[in-house]
Amino acid sequence: MKGALLVAGTTSDAGKSVVTAGICRWLARQGVRVAPFKAQNMSLNSFVTADGAEIGRAQATQAAACGIEPTADMNPVLLKPGSDRRSQVVVLGRAIADVDAMEYGAFKARLRAVAVESLERLRAEYDVVICEGAGSPAEINLRAGDIANMGLAQAARLPVIVVGDIDRGGVFASLYGTVALLDAADQALIAGFLINKFRGAPELLAPGLDMLHGLTGRETYGVLPWLDGLWLDVEDSLALDNRPAQPYRPHSLRVAVVRLPRISNFTDIDALASEPGIVVRFVRSAAELEDADLVIIPGSRATVSDLGWVRETGIAQAVQERAAAGRPVLGICGGYQMLARTIHDDIESRKGHIDGLGLLPATVRFTAEKTLARPVGTAYGHRVAAYEIHHGVVTVDTATPSRPFLDGCRSGSVWGTTWHGALENDAFRQAFLADVAATAGRPFTPAPGISFAEFRAARLDALGDLIEQHVDTGAILDLIENGPPRDLPLIHPGGAR
Ligand SMILES: NC(=O)CC[C@H](N)C(=O)O
C-alpha cells in the first residue's frame, strides 16, 4: 500500500501526537514501511538526529514507533518559544533565526515549500507517511499562511481526520465547528473524526455520533478510551501540567522536578517513570522541595530568565540550603547552567554577566553557535549515550576540586551535566539512583532488570493496541490509499445573514 494521512485536532493537546504515534505503531506492526511527519512543531522538547539535526521530540518518538531512525525531514520546522513573544526558528534541524510572530509571517511562504519538499522525500522513501497537524486547522486568522494543517493538506492532497478531546467537553461543537469554519476545498479533505480521552458509557455517546454523522456526513472512525498513566514523550508541556501529583510511599525515592516556566526536554525525567518505586513530582514552590530526596533542575529554553523565576519563588535559596545540608540536587543543561558560579549571556537573554547559584565550580558562556551533538561517555563505570542541545558552553573550573560527572561535574551532593537522555541508559541510571538514595538516606534499591527501551516499546505497543482495538482500521487504510470519500457534503458556515 502507498499513501498518507493528516491527523489534525480541534485543539492543542487533543491527542494528535499520541494518535499519530499509535497509527504509526499499528501500521509498522502490519509490516508497512511507515514514517511520521509534522511540518511545523512548536515545542521545547527536541531531539538530535544521528546526523546532528534538531527536531521535535514527538517526531523522534513516532519514528521509534515506526521502528526507524528519525531524520530532519520528519519535522522540518521547529519553533522554540523563548518568551511569550519570540521563538527560535529551527529549519531542517538548524536554528536560523529568532523572531516574533509578525516576523515569522515573512518566513512562512518559504517554509511551506521546505515542508512540502520534506514530505515528498519521505513519501518517496516510505510507503505511508502519517502527518500530524499543529494546533487546530480552523484558526481562520492563520489559514492563508498555514503550512501545518489545511495548507499542507491542500499542497500535498492529504485526507484529514480531526481528533477531538471529549474530556474537555464541547466535543461535538468543536468537531462540527472545525469543519464548518473551513472553505469548501478544505472541507472536501476532512474525511471524519476520532474522539479521544473517553471515559463515559459508550451507549450514551452513540446517539451523538449518529447525529454528528447526520449533521456533517462524516464518520467517526473511532472512540479512544482514556488511558491513565501514559507518561509519554510525545506529550507537550500542556499535558505535563495536567498530571495529577502521585502520592509518596515510605520506601519510594522522591524526585521533585522544578517546573521552570520555559522548561525544555523534560522528557529527561521520563526514564525515571520506568523505575518502580520512584515518584516524580513537578513543583513550583520551595515548600514542595522539602520532602524530596532528589531535586532536579531540568533544561530551560531561557536559562537566565528562568533563573530569575527560581530566585523569586525562593526555590534558589531552598536548593542552596539543600546542597549545604548534603542533600541531592541534579542540574541538566539549563539547570546545570543555573548551578554554575557565573553566566555570561549576550545571546539568549542578552543580560551579560549574571551570578549563578554557585553550587558547582563552573562558568557558562553563551555562544551564537548552537551545540547539537550525540555524545557517548562513561559514568559509574557504565556506558552513557546522550544528546546535547545548547548555546551555553559550560567550563568546569579545575582550580576547585570537583569530581567528573558525564560532561560536567559533581561537588558534594550536587551533580551537573549538559547531557540530555542520560537517564535512559539503564545501568547508569540505576547506579546514579542508588548513589542518590544512599546520599539522601532513603532505603531505596533500584529493581534489577529494568529496561527503559523495553518500557518505551511497551508503551508504543499500547498505543498501537489502542488504534487496533478502537478504530475502524479498515476505513483508515482506505483513506490512506484512496484519499477522502468523494461525496462529502459541504457544511454551510452560515454566519450572520
Ligand atoms: N537544553 C537546554 O536546557 C538549553 C539551555 C540553554 N537555553 C542553552 O541554550 O544553552
Side-chain angles (χ1 to χ4, degrees):
M1 72 174 303
K2 267 198 150 337
L5 174 73
L6 176 72
V7 178
T10 52
T11 51
S12 292
D13 198 30
K16 294 183 290 287
S17 307
V18 165
V19 167
T20 302
I23 296 176
C24 284
R25 187 63 158 193
W26 169 71
L27 284 170
R29 287 199 307 219
Q30 312 296 306
V32 176
R33 287 162 24 82
V34 55
F37 175 75
K38 181 158 177 158
Q40 175 190 294
N41 196 351
M42 183 178 263
S43 176
L44 291 182
N45 283 328
S46 57
F47 187 71
V48 182
T49 64
D51 57 358
E54 184 178 13
I55 64 166
R57 175 78 190 198
Q59 280 62 60
T61 304
Q62 290 160 351
C66 298
I68 58 177
E69 268 295 316
T71 65
D73 280 332
M74 294 174 191
N75 176 212
V77 182
L78 172 65
L79 301 177
K80 302 187 76 182
S83 69
D84 288 345
R85 297 191 158 266
R86 299 190 77 81
S87 283
Q88 184 175 65
V89 185
V90 179
V91 177
L92 290 173
R94 303 271 166 241
I96 58 159
D98 202 59
V99 296
D100 66 21
M102 298 305 286
E103 290 161 348
Y104 184 57
F107 275 93
K108 275 258 184 102
R110 184 156 76 82
L111 294 184
R112 181 186 290 131
V114 170
V116 169
E117 279 167 25
S118 282
L119 178 55
E120 276 169 6
R121 278 193 293 270
L122 289 176
R123 291 185 74 166
E125 195 176 341
Y126 295 93
D127 290 333
V128 173
V129 180
I130 304 298
C131 310
E132 180 187 329
S136 148
E139 308 296 7
I140 51 181
N141 53 326
L142 302 175
R143 172 63 187 87
D146 177 62
I147 65 168
N149 295 300
M150 300 317 296
L152 178 80
Q154 287 297 349
R157 305 305 302 161
L158 303 173
V160 181
I161 55 172
V162 182
V163 181
D165 173 356
I166 197 166
D167 194 57
R168 278 177 203 236
V171 78
F172 295 113
S174 56
L175 290 172
Y176 179 90
T178 297
V179 183
L181 283 170
L182 302 178
D183 69 15
D186 283 358
Q187 284 195 25
L189 295 176
I190 308 271
F193 312 115
L194 271 187
I195 291 192
N196 193 22
K197 306 188 197 177
F198 181 64
R199 42 183 164 185
E203 53 278 20
L204 288 180
L205 185 64
L209 300 181
D210 290 343
M211 284 183 251
L212 185 66
H213 185 256
L215 287 163
T216 64
R218 287 160 173 85
E219 297 288 334
T220 296
Y221 293 108
V223 177
L224 304 176
W226 177 275
L227 264 195
D228 239 350
L230 255 193
W231 188 344
L232 270 180
D233 43 15
V234 294
E235 291 177 345
D236 61 18
S237 58
L238 286 176
L240 179 73
D241 290 333
N242 296 334
R243 195 179 300 284
Q246 288 175 274
Y248 287 147
R249 287 177 297 271
H251 288 282
S252 55
L253 189 74
R254 305 157 178 207
V255 180
V257 181
V258 179
R259 186 4 182 146
L260 302 168
R262 295 285 156 192
I263 189 169
S264 73
N265 287 86
F266 61 77
T267 52
D268 282 334
I269 306 347
D270 206 29
L272 297 181
S274 65
E275 289 287 344
I278 293 207
V279 178
V280 179
R281 286 186 180 169
F282 283 85
V283 301
R284 287 188 163 82
S285 68
E288 291 169 286
L289 303 186
E290 198 37 56
D291 55 1
D293 298 316
L294 170 66
V295 170
I296 298 183
I297 311 183
S300 162
R301 168 69 177 90
T303 301
V304 168
S305 86
D306 277 0
L307 177 57
W309 175 87
V310 164
R311 288 199 162 101
E312 281 158 29
T313 51
I315 289 175
Q317 199 187 331
V319 166
Q320 282 162 326
E321 285 165 10
R322 277 184 79 83
R327 302 180 69 199
V329 177
L330 167 67
I332 303 174
C333 202
Y336 173 34
Q337 295 169 353
M338 293 178 200
L339 295 172
R341 288 175 175 155
T342 53
I343 301 172
H344 302 275
D345 179 15
D346 294 323
I347 302 291
E348 194 174 81
S349 66
R350 302 195 178 99
K351 287 270 161 49
H353 176 103
I354 299 286
D355 284 339
L357 298 179
L359 297 178
L360 290 174
T363 305
V364 187
R365 189 168 291 278
F366 275 74
T367 59
E369 184 72 16
K370 191 183 223 179
T371 302
L372 296 171
R374 296 257 294 243
V376 177
T378 332
Y380 294 95
H382 302 293
R383 180 182 184 271
V384 181
Y387 58 101
E388 281 179 61
I389 304 169
H390 54 92
H391 287 278
V393 177
V394 190
T395 310
V396 179
D397 176 4
T398 46
T400 311
S402 71
R403 281 188 266 171
F405 177 65
L406 301 170
D407 69 325
C409 63
R410 170 186 183 175
S411 174
S413 62
V414 182
W415 291 259
T417 176
T418 318
W419 291 7
H420 294 293
L423 293 168
E424 293 179 19
N425 297 270
D426 300 322
F428 160 73
R429 179 183 65 251
Q430 302 209 335
F432 171 70
L433 291 172
D435 193 3
V436 164
T439 310
R442 176 73 53 194
F444 163 87
T445 322
I450 299 291
S451 154
F452 179 68
E454 276 171 26
F455 176 79
R456 192 179 193 203
R459 287 194 309 192
L460 293 171
D461 274 331
L463 292 185
D465 294 346
L466 198 66
I467 298 297
E468 191 170 310
Q469 290 161 12
H470 301 280
V471 175
D472 181 352
T473 47
I476 297 289
L477 289 179
D478 187 44
L479 277 183
I480 291 171
E481 281 203 287
N482 304 315
R486 283 176 210 294
D487 50 354
L488 291 169
L490 174 71
I491 305 177
H492 290 283
R497 279 171 211 242

